[in-house]
Amino acid sequence: MPRDWRRMSLRAAGVKLIDCVHKTPAATTAGYAYVTIPQLCNGRIDFSTARRISEPDFVMWTKKAMPRAWDIVLSRRCNPGETALVAPGEEFAVGQNLVLLRSDGTTVHPPFLRWLTRSPDWWAQIQKYLNVGAVFESLKCADVPNFELVIPPKEDQEAIAELLGSLDDKIEQNRRTGAKLEELARAVFKAWFVDFEPVKAKAAGATTFPGMPPEIFAALPASFEDSELGPVPRGWETTRWGEIASLEYGKSLKGYQNGEGSVQVFGTNGPIGWHTAKLADGPGIVIGRKGAYRGVHFSPEPFWTIDTAFYLNPKKLFSWRWAYYELLRVDINSIDSGSAIPSTSREDFYSLPVCLAGQSMFHGFDDVLAPVFEMLVAMKAESDKLAALRDYLLPFLLSGRVRVIDQQT
């Protein structure tokens, strides 16, 4: 450790802990975001899955803990030590088992705090103070300010925060661009396969449909027929998910959290690590099997699924992207086996009705959106490389073995 770096407690460094309200507000269909543990994703807050609360509840829940830019949200339970940055402009209420860490700026540069709470030193303190006697491992609020960490001089902090922040900002930019591209793809999916806009246009006498290849449009029916799903294009097959695919169990795995390998590992809530071997070829779809929140996840590349999730095995030919967007319309969390732990019921899933278009529609969908899908894959690959570089540099920079600022005198 460089001689001008000091080890001190968070309390001595001017970092305070702000506790949350220890109860849960009622959910609403719209309103303010209420962030809980599942929304802490890769050092950022994923608002897409956050529940919404009313304005009166938001005011009440933020009286004690109003997040500010550069605060750190810390999980005390379930995944104790996990953190996420409060980026400028983000507004939300803090859920149970989460707390805020806030630097007063005297010793710790506020944008540097996010990296301090992801360092090896930080995780060593987590292990030191972890309460393992309860049902869930947890951290005590009183212990966190006592964490002793190596604090560099301010100029080092600013340089480290700028370097790592620039890498992280590019990853976040890719994520946001990817989200917009996903919105575009889902809009096309909805128009073609949910609202049947091309078929409606043809029934009204149109000879073309914007964005649809002429040969695909020419092959469409020009009328509808009744089905258990309501009116569907004439000739399209109404069937069950169990007739077109099966749910295969994932397999338990050790060592996937160390970041080694190029095969992404999925759990019930999505990507959770990397491995050197694959369980299934990509593209593929993972469906959460156990847990209060079970999601649907798409992988364009070969992947591994652990035993808290299923992966989809097709019995008939269809577009993987179509299947992914179709399954996002299904409330997986309502498909419960009735066991003590919320679990997806395979039988209930197999009984779900689904409408299959012809192969020409699936091929047309994939071809039209091929540039979008290729860009999504390319951006993910770039983000994975940037994240690997960021995570590789972090322990060197936080220990002082590599210094960003010019040390010449």
Side-chain angles (χ1 to χ4, degrees), residues 48 58-59 103 154 232 236 297 308 354-355 368 390:
S48 66
F58 175 77
V59 171
S103 171
K154 274 285 193 69
V232 299
W236 289 19
H297 318 286
T308 62
V354 61
C355 182
V368 166
R390 176 201 62 200

Side-chain angles (χ1 to χ4, degrees), residues 178 181-182 185 298 300-301 321 325 366-382:
L181 292 174
E182 284 282 2
F298 178 82
E301 306 292 340
R321 288 284 184 175
Y325 296 131
D366 287 341
D367 290 346
V368 166
L369 291 173
V372 171
F373 298 148
E374 289 170 3
M375 190 174 295
L376 286 170
V377 171
M379 286 194 302
K380 181 182 181 303
E382 180 185 45

Side-chain angles (χ1 to χ4, degrees), residues 132-144:
V132 297
V135 176
F136 294 100
E137 294 182 340
S138 62
L139 295 168
K140 296 179 180 178
C141 288
D143 287 338
V144 177

Side-chain angles (χ1 to χ4, degrees), residues 19-24 61 64 76 96-97 141:
D19 199 3
C20 66
V21 177
H22 290 253
K23 56 183 179 178
T24 302
W61 259 256
K64 185 178 182 181
R76 295 195 304 105
Q96 286 201 65
N97 300 311
C141 288

Side-chain angles (χ1 to χ4, degrees), residues 299-340:
S299 176
E301 306 292 340
F303 60 95
W304 189 287
T305 303
I306 64 169
D307 52 1
T308 62
F310 296 112
Y311 63 95
L312 207 65
N313 186 22
K315 297 179 180 179
K316 292 188 176 182
L317 292 176
F318 51 72
S319 161
W320 279 106
R321 288 284 184 175
W322 164 83
Y324 172 60
Y325 296 131
E326 183 70 31
L327 286 170
L328 287 178
R329 301 174 59 214
V330 176
D331 183 8
I332 294 297
N333 293 287
S334 69
I335 306 175
D336 195 347
S337 66
S339 60

